[in-house]
Amino acid sequence: MSSPLSAIREDALLALSRITARWLNSDWSHDGGHKPVNRAAGSGIEFIEYRAWNHADDWRSIDWRASARCQQPQVRRYSTEASSDWTILLDSSASMMTHQADKWSLSLQCTAALAYLLLQHDNRVSLVLFNQRIEDQIALGRGHLHYNQILQLLARQQPATRGGDSQPICCLPALKRNSSLFIISDFLIDQQSMQRDLQRLAKVSNRMQAMQIYSQKDSQWPTFGAMQLQDVETAETIDIQFHDSLRLLPKHQSQRHARALAGFCQAQQIRYSCQPADRGWQQTLLCHLIPGYQP
Amino acid sequence: MISLQSPGWLWLLWLLPLIYWLHRYYPRRKRAAVASILLWRPLVASQQQSEKSAKTDKRWLLRALICTLIVLALATPGWIHSSPPSIRLWLDLSISMFARSQQKTRIDRGLQRLDEVLKKLSPESVEVRSLSQPYRALQLNADLREHWLTALQQWIRSASTGPASLPVSAQPDNFLQLLVTDASDPAINQWAKKNNMVVLVENEKNNRNLTLTRLSLRPSLQDDNLIIVMARVDNTGSQTLDAEFSLRQGDKILIEKSLKLEAGQHQTISIKTDLYNLSILTASIKQPLDQLDLDNQLELDPGKTLTPLNYRISAACNRPVRAALLSLPRLQPKQQQANFAVSCETQPANEKIPQLRLFPAVSEKISTTQAHWHHPLISERIPLPENLSYNPQAPLLSGVSRPLLSIDQRALILQQQASPAVISSYLNLDDRALALSASLPLLLENMVDQLTQDLRSHTPLIEQRPLQESRISARPLQSENLPDNFQTRSFEDFSAYLISLSILLLAIDALWPLIIGAAVAGGLGD
């Protein structure tokens, strides 16, 4: 079985680079009202000012109109996004491994792609894998070497199929204050504890984004007739009997759960998207990065 | 008309509550892992509500239907078709059926009665078979109904008469079975009853009934050479009857006598005969008018009457012999039998009294070799001295002694026919050759064993037969089991259809999760 990370291709990542830059420098990325800090000039796309050309600059970056106006070569300066520190929180609880680990595969791909894109734009990125505790983490860093470390960590990570509750609040000690958070999880936890955790994380972060990965199979009846359902994380069981009138109730319950999470995130100015696990990682990232994007 | 052949199976429908219990509670719940119980917990309450509102459990209905169909199939439902009867007619062509009375034989009267029955039933066809030759058949078809009686009479004349050779089973397929008999043979009566036949009996209104009921035998009290044979003939009919009585012993006719008995009377014929002749005694009667050699006879084996009444062993024995005799286990005081006595008294040498009395049994033969004396009833072989000779083949004549066992031409055991019922054996136990023989104790023991094993009762021998089992008189049976309006019924069995339907429903039940799964999957797009 090939690793899900093998689906990450560099050309596809480069195709997303421009959109990522817009996302990082636009309001999309800080719906929460926080302003990006340390906006330095760099290889961004947002224009800051003109300056005189020097020999270190690429001659292709010369703005010929401004040079004509000023009678000397001028180059444009763009703001850089490398001023942000991003921490990606990846849920590695057992619930991510259900149904052939489709949620986990997509989460791995999105994490790897997101880390690449953020690093490409000179952001510092750290990665924390958590369930009810921090399973593994990589401190803030940048560059290809750092990306390779992230990839190696993701490649060797294999969540347990049983046990391990999702508690994002356990990542609090690993967070740098005023850093940006990006949480990837299925958020199949109790609403009250989920809201409490997200609220506390939002307080310590500069800005926070949440991507919920859901699988339609989670809300499908596993079998028919009488059955005993067991939570893969808490091992809690309930006895239930399939009946046609109950057929769609788990699906509705899942939608209710997602709506409650979306409402809470909107109230807390946390950027939130809910992505199906059977979608490709590119489409998933596009849907999250671009509001209103329809794949 | 729909009918059930085995309605008793319907009691199994009481098992439906058990099947409901198994359906509802027995299947263990399948365990399935889910990502989060959060999505399912609210369903428990909804389920309880939906269970209350659920009107029917379709799978339970399916299973109940399967069980009901299987039980119905076991009850063998079917459609009964009625049609004109087909008759299988059995004729008793034994000799007694040709007994003639008032110029008509019983078979003639039986055919007249049969004709009346056939007119009443109007059968589609009649298959005629005789009990003497069941493999022969005559088929009478409806288009020649007027000639049935003639054809039957011709067929009976060509058929051979004789004792019945009864088929093991005469269970009809779709036949009404009729039997024409005089019911004089108990075996036929039993066979007809077992096969639920309609029995047509022609017994001349039961007014002739002469029976040889008893043949007995006892030793004569006056003369030991004779036995007394007594036969009894009863007339239980309503007419005075003549009969010829005969008594034979082997090939020798002892007596032939004409009897004339009034209704209700009986007569006893008594005759003395020689006891030496052990051939079987046969008494028989026949009716002079019919001149038929009827099988109405009784037999006795006189050999069975020659049983010893008392044994007495007395020998002019010396001390070793006396000790040997008294040490025999069978002759110990506790083991002694009432009619067996041993005394070892000193007797005058010249007085030849029977000292050991042996009584011959008919089937027993003593064989010997030169060095062994082997009795069939004795499993052991007794080694004897080489100069000992044993000679059971010598003729045993009245009044003449024969040496049964001798050594060096001196007789050790002499046998003599003292009376027809008694053979006396004289043991010369004082002979040194015998007395000093190491085989003496074994020889004595085996002789005593043989005597004690042959003890039999001395009651007179009687052979008798109940009046109703007489072969010459018919039992008062009258057209038993004759239905008023018999119709052949054919049964079209439905159970195969029910079994097929049950199998189909069982397959649906087995595939139920898949079927429901497909239905649910189809409904997910809703």
Side-chain angles (χ1 to χ4, degrees):
Chain A
M1 182 178 170
S2 61
S3 168
L5 295 175
S6 61
I8 308 291
R9 298 191 317 277
E10 193 165 6
D11 55 341
L13 289 170
L14 291 174
L16 289 175
S17 176
R18 192 180 172 85
I19 296 171
T20 308
R22 275 191 74 192
W23 167 65
L24 288 171
N25 295 300
S26 69
D27 290 340
W28 303 349
S29 59
H30 42 89
D31 291 337
H34 301 281
K35 286 186 178 179
V37 293
N38 301 328
R39 294 185 65 199
S43 58
I45 57 174
E46 190 177 357
F47 173 75
I48 301 175
E49 59 183 353
Y50 292 107
R51 67 168 172 81
W53 177 83
N54 57 46
H55 295 284
D57 293 330
D58 188 354
W59 61 270
R60 285 177 294 189
S61 61
I62 295 174
D63 187 330
W64 295 107
R65 285 189 178 181
S67 299
R69 283 196 299 270
C70 298
Q71 299 298 313
Q72 61 175 346
Q74 297 285 323
V75 295
R76 286 173 155 242
R77 296 186 67 197
Y78 295 92
S79 65
T80 179
E81 297 83 13
S83 56
S84 296
D85 292 337
W86 284 86
T87 301
I88 303 174
L89 305 182
L90 176 59
D91 185 359
S92 63
S93 64
S95 64
M96 299 290 283
M97 289 298 291
T98 55
H99 309 299
Q100 288 80 41
D102 52 351
K103 288 185 288 187
W104 176 247
S105 299
L106 181 63
S107 301
L108 281 183
Q109 292 165 353
C110 288
T111 303
L114 194 61
Y116 179 91
L117 294 172
L118 289 172
L119 289 170
Q120 193 194 27
H121 291 90
D122 287 338
N123 292 287
R124 293 198 303 168
V125 175
S126 69
L127 174 63
V128 179
L129 287 96
F130 72 95
N131 41 48
Q132 58 191 2
R133 65 178 187 275
I134 296 175
E135 285 291 318
D136 213 339
Q137 63 178 328
I138 291 181
L140 285 168
R142 63 160 60 96
H144 288 293
L145 191 61
H146 188 65
Y147 179 65
N148 284 337
Q149 288 177 348
I150 290 175
L151 281 183
Q152 287 171 7
L153 173 64
L154 292 176
R156 70 170 179 264
Q157 198 63 30
Q158 187 68 29
T161 54
R162 299 277 168 183
D165 201 0
S166 296
Q167 294 180 7
I169 195 62
C170 70
C171 303
L172 201 55
L175 298 183
K176 182 187 174 190
R177 288 193 68 84
N178 293 326
S179 66
S180 300
L181 292 183
F182 198 105
I183 303 179
I184 300 177
S185 171
D186 55 3
F187 291 104
L188 288 177
I189 46 180
D190 178 53
Q191 282 192 16
Q192 285 185 348
S193 59
M194 174 190 68
Q195 292 177 2
R196 186 181 61 240
D197 290 0
L198 290 181
Q199 201 167 18
R200 289 186 63 185
L201 289 174
K203 281 182 181 175
V204 300
S205 63
N206 180 23
R207 53 184 171 178
M208 192 164 81
Q209 302 200 10
M211 179 190 286
Q212 182 182 12
I213 309 291
Y214 75 94
S215 173
Q216 288 186 345
K217 295 172 186 173
D218 284 345
S219 55
Q220 284 180 0
W221 287 81
T223 181
F224 300 96
M227 66 191 85
Q228 186 179 58
L229 302 182
Q230 185 179 36
D231 193 316
V232 294
E233 295 180 355
T234 64
E236 181 186 354
T237 59
I238 57 170
D239 291 332
I240 199 165
Q241 170 99 22
F242 174 80
H243 194 274
D244 196 45
S245 62
L246 304 175
R247 181 165 53 88
L248 294 175
L249 278 185
K251 187 178 178 183
H252 294 160
Q253 179 67 15
S254 174
Q255 291 170 347
R256 260 199 304 275
H257 188 77
R259 277 200 300 273
L261 180 61
F264 171 78
C265 290
Q266 188 175 11
Q268 296 293 323
Q269 295 181 332
I270 299 172
R271 181 168 175 75
Y272 164 84
S273 70
C274 186
Q275 308 294 339
D278 53 356
R279 187 179 283 173
W281 65 270
Q282 291 170 276
Q283 298 293 328
T284 303
L285 281 180
L286 283 173
C287 287
H288 183 83
L289 299 179
I290 306 173
Y293 177 81
Q294 292 296 330
Chain B
M1 183 179 68
I2 291 179
S3 171
L4 297 174
Q5 280 199 330
S6 308
W9 286 101
L10 295 180
W11 287 103
L12 287 181
L13 288 175
W14 284 103
L15 292 178
L16 279 180
L18 172 65
I19 295 168
Y20 178 75
W21 184 86
L22 290 173
H23 162 80
R24 185 70 181 85
Y25 299 104
Y26 180 72
R28 309 310 306 167
R29 291 175 181 274
K30 289 167 278 190
R31 178 170 286 194
V34 292
S36 175
I37 212 75
L38 284 174
L39 307 179
W40 304 88
R41 194 178 287 134
L43 267 65
V44 178
S46 303
Q47 182 188 9
Q48 292 170 352
Q49 194 172 358
S50 66
E51 277 183 353
K52 288 178 183 173
S53 61
K55 293 177 181 174
T56 54
D57 182 345
K58 292 174 184 172
R59 197 170 191 191
W60 155 243
L61 288 180
L62 178 67
R63 290 178 171 178
L65 180 61
I66 291 170
C67 295
T68 307
L69 287 175
I70 290 175
V71 170
L72 282 178
L74 289 173
T76 324
W79 187 268
I80 295 178
H81 302 281
S82 298
S83 59
S86 296
I87 290 180
R88 179 176 290 158
L89 173 65
W90 295 94
L91 293 177
D92 176 9
L93 297 183
S94 61
I95 298 172
S96 63
M97 287 298 286
F98 295 90
R100 193 175 299 277
S101 173
Q102 298 171 0
Q103 306 305 316
K104 278 192 174 180
T105 62
R106 293 176 178 178
I107 192 68
D108 292 336
R109 289 192 174 87
L111 290 182
Q112 281 182 356
R113 187 171 180 80
L114 174 69
D115 194 37
E116 296 168 7
V117 172
L118 292 182
K119 281 177 183 173
K120 179 182 174 186
L121 294 177
S122 301
E124 203 171 44
S125 64
V126 179
E127 179 188 301
V128 186
R129 292 177 183 271
S130 81
L131 291 180
S132 307
Q133 295 171 305
Y135 48 85
R136 286 191 67 215
L138 170 68
Q139 194 71 31
L140 301 175
N141 296 320
D143 49 351
L144 298 172
R145 185 163 295 170
E146 299 79 18
H147 306 290
W148 278 4
L149 201 56
T150 311
L152 263 175
Q153 288 168 341
Q154 287 178 357
W155 186 78
I156 289 170
R157 275 196 289 274
S158 65
S160 66
T161 60
S165 170
L166 298 175
V168 175
S169 173
Q171 287 296 329
D173 299 325
N174 285 315
F175 284 100
L176 169 65
Q177 299 212 87
L178 294 181
L179 169 64
V180 177
T181 181
D182 58 357
S184 62
D185 189 339
I188 295 178
N189 297 337
Q190 189 67 25
W191 178 77
K193 189 175 180 182
K194 179 183 172 186
N195 290 291
N196 197 26
M197 289 192 171
V198 176
V199 182
L200 305 175
V201 180
E202 180 47 49
N203 60 1
E204 305 168 41
K205 297 180 182 175
N206 200 28
N207 57 0
R208 294 165 65 84
N209 195 1
L210 194 63
T211 312
L212 176 61
T213 56
R214 177 170 171 157
L215 179 63
S216 63
L217 182 65
R218 67 173 175 81
S220 171
L221 297 176
Q222 288 79 26
D223 190 344
D224 284 346
N225 297 328
L226 298 178
I227 55 173
I228 297 175
V229 181
M230 287 181 291
R232 172 171 166 155
V233 180
D234 284 79
N235 183 3
T236 57
S238 58
Q239 294 179 357
T240 302
L241 286 178
D242 295 327
E244 295 288 341
F245 173 82
S246 69
L247 178 64
R248 297 191 307 274
Q249 188 166 27
D251 297 332
K252 180 184 175 184
I253 295 176
L254 299 180
I255 184 174
E256 279 187 337
K257 188 176 182 179
S258 295
L259 303 176
K260 184 167 186 175
L261 290 175
E262 299 291 331
Q265 279 190 341
H266 69 271
Q267 184 170 349
T268 303
I269 301 102
S270 177
I271 187 172
K272 291 182 179 177
T273 183
D274 191 357
L275 187 56
Y276 295 111
N277 190 348
L278 300 182
S279 301
I280 292 175
L281 284 161
T282 305
S284 62
I285 58 171
K286 63 182 180 180
Q287 287 186 285
L289 284 179
D290 290 340
Q291 295 297 314
L292 294 171
D293 186 16
L294 297 177
D295 183 21
N296 188 7
Q297 62 185 27
L298 292 172
E299 290 183 348
L300 269 183
D301 182 4
K304 295 179 181 176
T305 63
L306 295 178
T307 54
L309 182 59
N310 286 300
Y311 287 99
R312 179 180 174 82
I313 296 179
S314 57
C317 43
N318 53 19
R319 183 166 297 177
V321 173
R322 177 191 177 92
L325 273 177
L326 294 179
S327 67
L328 295 179
R330 274 184 190 274
L331 302 183
Q332 295 299 315
K334 290 181 181 177
Q335 304 292 333
Q336 282 185 9
Q337 302 186 33
N339 53 353
F340 193 92
V342 176
S343 63
C344 212
E345 301 160 356
T346 304
Q347 298 292 334
N350 57 354
E351 187 178 350
K352 290 190 174 182
I353 62 169
Q355 292 169 326
L356 181 62
R357 306 177 81 188
L358 293 174
F359 298 86
V362 174
S363 61
E364 294 171 5
K365 289 180 181 176
I366 297 174
S367 61
T368 182
T369 63
Q370 191 175 4
H372 290 89
W373 185 14
H374 178 230
H375 190 280
L377 293 178
I378 301 170
S379 59
E380 304 168 45
R381 284 172 175 264
I382 304 169
L384 295 174
E386 290 185 359
N387 52 353
L388 197 69
S389 66
Y390 178 64
N391 186 24
Q393 282 79 23
L396 187 60
L397 303 175
S398 180
V400 179
S401 298
R402 72 168 181 191
L404 183 65
L405 192 66
S406 57
I407 184 166
D408 294 336
Q409 304 302 321
R410 285 177 284 116
L412 299 180
I413 299 177
L414 274 174
Q415 280 195 325
Q416 186 179 6
Q417 186 85 44
S419 70
V422 178
I423 297 175
S424 298
S425 297
Y426 300 89
L427 275 72
N428 186 6
L429 299 179
D430 276 339
D431 190 283
R432 288 180 61 81
L434 181 61
L436 298 179
S437 167
S439 305
L440 175 64
L442 275 177
L443 188 64
L444 288 174
E445 183 177 357
N446 282 296
M447 290 175 70
V448 171
D449 279 350
Q450 180 182 343
L451 288 173
T452 53
Q453 284 170 3
D454 287 345
L455 286 176
R456 295 194 188 102
S457 66
H458 193 60
T459 52
L461 200 60
I462 297 174
E463 189 73 27
Q464 60 186 358
R465 157 187 300 147
L467 284 175
Q468 61 270 24
E469 287 191 7
S470 167
R471 301 292 294 272
I472 201 168
S473 65
R475 289 172 59 195
L477 295 175
Q478 297 290 343
S479 303
E480 288 182 349
N481 301 329
L482 183 61
D484 292 333
N485 184 23
F486 178 83
Q487 286 190 318
T488 304
R489 290 181 170 188
S490 62
F491 190 76
E492 187 180 350
D493 193 353
F494 292 165
S495 55
Y497 302 111
L498 297 180
I499 291 290
S500 305
L501 186 57
S502 303
I503 292 172
L504 177 66
L505 295 179
L506 275 173
I508 293 175
D509 183 63
L511 298 174
W512 185 268
L514 296 179
I515 295 170
I516 296 300
V520 170
L524 280 179
D526 300 341

